[in-house]
Amino acid sequence: MTVTHSNLPELLGVALELAQQAGAITLEYFGRVLTAETKGDGTPVTEADRAAETHLRNEIGRRFPEHGILGEEYGESNPKAPVRWILDPIDGTRAFMRGIPLYGVLIGVEVGGSPAVGVAHFPALRETVGAASGHGCTWNGNPARVSSVGTLSQAAALTTDLAELLEGPAARGWNSLVRRTSLARTWGDCYGHILVATGRAEIMVDPVLSPWDAAPFVPILQEAGGRFTDREGLERFHGGSGISTNGLFHEEVLALLAGS
């Protein structure tokens, strides 16, 4: 399949289908007592993570043998392919292991080096958000849109891990940001970015992100009317961090986080 702008919706449809399938696999394990191994980066991995990613890789390989894949659990294949799928079978594994329903299945598709398709599926919540560049963003099949809140004083700011944030270079900036907003919560991991994309929050701050943690969010936030960048303000998913906003005060948020 040659991927062009006109057939991105077809690719999105496949990504949505595969996310649902992988989500169903995770639900077979959700709520059970699971053992986990600790990976080299200190994060846990369970049988559910591996089973879901294996299914995704097998299906992508069967349907699009010419495409590349980068997954959290099994690395990269066909790295020179012009189309690359980026997979996180369970974003929020720690929450998943505790029976907390905010975990998600993340699928991003990069075409010619640019983020083009993004899907975030939340099996336990029965929520799915998907977008293709230039073709809009949907939330459970309906149009998704960021909020119209235009001032920080009315905004809700989210993050994933306060300890990680407050021990890093953005600690002072986060404190400054929180003092200017109306609500700060740790509704984090991928769900925080989706709360922004669907108008339920205005800011999500992730000071440390791997590519598979962030791959869907450039097209999702852009097509929902917001912005997703790294802390440097670049619209990319491999910058090591991720900031989602409704777009109305993105530069102000970045400046605060930078301590300026």
Side-chain angles (χ1 to χ4, degrees):
M1 174 185 179
T2 300
V3 177
T4 64
H5 176 76
S6 63
N7 62 15
L8 283 180
E10 180 183 349
L11 202 62
L12 172 61
V14 175
L16 288 165
E17 178 188 349
L18 297 185
Q20 294 278 347
Q21 293 174 5
I25 292 171
T26 69
L27 287 176
E28 295 175 9
Y29 298 86
F30 185 61
R32 289 166 40 185
V33 176
L34 296 174
T35 58
E37 298 175 23
T38 301
K39 297 185 290 189
D41 62 0
T43 60
V45 58
T46 69
E47 182 182 357
D49 296 84
R50 292 188 173 121
E53 184 169 323
T54 295
H55 177 80
L56 290 171
R57 297 179 82 98
N58 287 343
E59 282 297 304
I60 294 165
R62 181 178 67 83
R63 301 180 191 215
F64 308 109
E66 71 280 14
H67 291 185
I69 301 173
L70 173 64
E72 179 175 10
E73 309 308 337
Y74 293 111
E76 188 161 20
S77 62
N78 198 10
K80 295 184 180 180
V83 179
R84 183 170 68 154
W85 296 68
I86 303 97
L87 312 174
D88 191 344
I90 298 178
D91 185 80
T93 298
R94 290 187 176 93
F96 173 81
M97 292 175 63
R98 289 178 174 269
I100 297 169
L102 303 185
Y103 76 93
V105 177
L106 302 184
I107 298 177
V109 184
E110 190 180 37
V111 179
S114 298
V117 168
V119 170
H121 172 53
F122 301 88
L125 298 175
R126 299 182 180 179
E127 291 189 42
T128 307
V129 173
S133 294
H135 296 279
C137 180
T138 61
W139 174 24
N140 287 352
N142 298 309
R145 201 70 191 163
V146 297
S147 83
S148 59
V149 170
T151 61
L152 281 179
S153 63
Q154 296 178 309
L158 313 177
T159 192
T160 297
D161 187 333
L162 275 177
E164 183 177 66
L165 183 64
L166 296 178
E167 291 169 3
R172 182 178 176 184
W174 171 256
N175 288 329
S176 297
L177 175 63
V178 166
R179 285 196 294 269
R180 286 170 167 79
T181 60
S182 67
L183 181 70
R185 293 290 186 269
T186 52
W187 299 328
D189 296 315
C190 54
Y191 197 55
H193 296 282
I194 292 307
L195 288 175
V196 176
T198 54
R200 293 174 284 175
E202 285 69 48
I203 304 160
M204 172 63 187
V205 177
D206 260 322
V208 179
L209 282 182
S210 297
W212 42 81
D213 299 319
F217 297 130
V218 172
I220 284 176
L221 266 299
Q222 286 180 344
E223 294 301 313
R227 290 187 65 188
F228 177 89
T229 73
D230 61 15
R231 288 185 59 213
E232 304 301 316
L234 299 176
E235 293 178 330
R236 57 183 180 176
F237 62 82
H238 49 74
S241 58
I243 315 296
S244 289
T245 74
N246 66 357
L248 297 178
F249 35 66
H250 196 89
E251 297 301 331
E252 187 178 359
V253 170
L254 292 178
L256 284 169
L257 291 172
S260 57

